[in-house]
Amino acid sequence: MTIVVAIDGPAGAGKSTVAKALARKLRVKYLDTGAMYRAVTFLALSDGVSLHDEAAVAELSVNCVLDVGEELVTINSIDATQAIRGPEVTKAVSLVATNSSVRNELRARQRIWVEENGGGVVEGRDIGSVVFPDATLKVYLTASPLVRAKRRVAQSGGDVAQIAAEIAERDRRDSTRSDSPLTKTDDSITVDTSDRSVDEVVAQLEQLVMIADAKRAANR
Ligand code: DC
């Protein structure tokens, strides 16, 4: 049976690290949907398209050739792997993520990706709530604001207080936008990664996937 694991949660909760490691354990592929929103943002900024011009940004998202792999992210054959993690894209991306036409397009691509790859571990904000409501397992990964800010600083440098403020602002925008805001669904399992190692969290999720998959097989 196809396994789809949806991992949602705020920035800095450890989604990418956990999702990648879990995918490896389950021998399935991993998709970072945030990288898709980031890549479209990068393209709009590089092409000088105003992020407030919803129709123009939507058109870019529909017409682009986007490839989000574990190592490389390319858009229209441009390697955007580094640039999508830079401060310009990071500041601008939540505006692009409010664009419903962009969201529709990227969600369609996410569903195609899962179909083509025979399942996978998919991380984002609306994966369990909207993209894959029937996922094998839905996880809401979180951590305290201070831990999240410290992780970002360890990854990319900066000042903890400033990064904490930026994360709080992005959380606010992600959770208050009208189209598919970041929410925890009733059927998702909340995992707080603040005081736990990656291995511990991944082992717990692996076990939960096995249990969920066995239950589904029994109910068929
Ligand atoms: O996970 P991340 O920080 O790379 O996400 C970048 C932005 O994209 C963030 O503002 C939330 C948004 N996003 C979204 O709205 N829906 C998703 N499925 C994934 C990311």
Side-chain angles (χ1 to χ4, degrees):
M1 213 186 302
T2 307
I3 287 179
V4 178
V5 181
I7 302 191
D8 293 299
K15 295 190 300 293
S16 299
T17 310
V18 166
K20 264 186 213 166
L22 180 64
R24 227 163 278 138
K25 291 258 183 206
L26 298 173
R27 295 175 198 279
V28 297
K29 290 230 174 135
Y30 151 74
L31 179 63
D32 173 2
T33 63
M36 300 173 81
Y37 289 93
R38 285 173 180 270
V40 171
T41 306
F42 163 79
L43 188 62
L45 293 174
S46 330
D47 285 6
V49 170
S50 163
L51 301 182
H52 295 281
D53 186 342
E54 293 203 0
V57 179
E59 199 178 313
L60 279 184
S61 73
V62 170
N63 293 324
C64 70
V65 179
L66 175 59
D67 188 12
V68 173
E70 275 203 35
E71 305 295 331
L72 274 187
V73 175
T74 63
I75 186 155
N76 291 349
S77 306
I78 303 164
D79 182 350
T81 316
Q82 305 286 330
I84 62 164
R85 305 290 164 200
E88 291 85 5
V89 170
T90 300
K91 278 212 181 85
V93 64
S94 50
L95 182 56
V96 171
T98 61
N99 185 320
S100 292
S101 308
V102 171
R103 299 199 71 81
N104 278 339
E105 172 62 25
L106 296 187
R107 281 186 200 130
R109 292 185 188 225
Q110 290 153 19
R111 294 189 181 110
I112 291 169
W113 182 93
V114 158
E115 220 169 284
E116 284 180 353
N117 287 287
V121 178
V122 185
E123 67 146 291
R125 301 291 191 288
D126 59 345
I127 307 306
S129 56
V130 180
V131 188
F132 299 111
D134 298 325
T136 317
L137 180 72
K138 299 183 189 181
V139 181
Y140 188 84
L141 217 61
T142 186
S144 75
L146 183 62
V147 167
R148 290 160 53 204
K150 282 185 175 166
R151 283 181 187 156
R152 276 291 141 99
V153 170
Q155 264 171 6
S156 332
D159 171 67
V160 174
Q162 191 193 336
I163 302 285
E166 284 172 13
I167 287 181
E169 173 56 18
R170 207 139 58 90
D171 282 357
R172 192 192 61 75
R173 286 204 220 165
D174 288 343
S175 349
T176 55
R177 65 168 178 246
S178 57
D179 187 344
S180 51
L182 169 65
T183 43
K184 184 188 135 25
T185 60
D186 289 343
D187 55 354
S188 63
I189 291 171
T190 299
V191 177
D192 189 324
T193 65
S194 301
D195 304 311
R196 302 179 65 202
S197 72
V198 173
D199 287 351
E200 255 177 341
V201 172
V202 172
Q204 181 193 359
L205 297 189
E206 197 185 3
Q207 207 171 23
L208 288 172
V209 171
M210 295 310 162
I211 294 168
D213 197 38
K215 262 192 199 156
R216 286 211 318 187
N219 287 336
R220 274 171 69 111

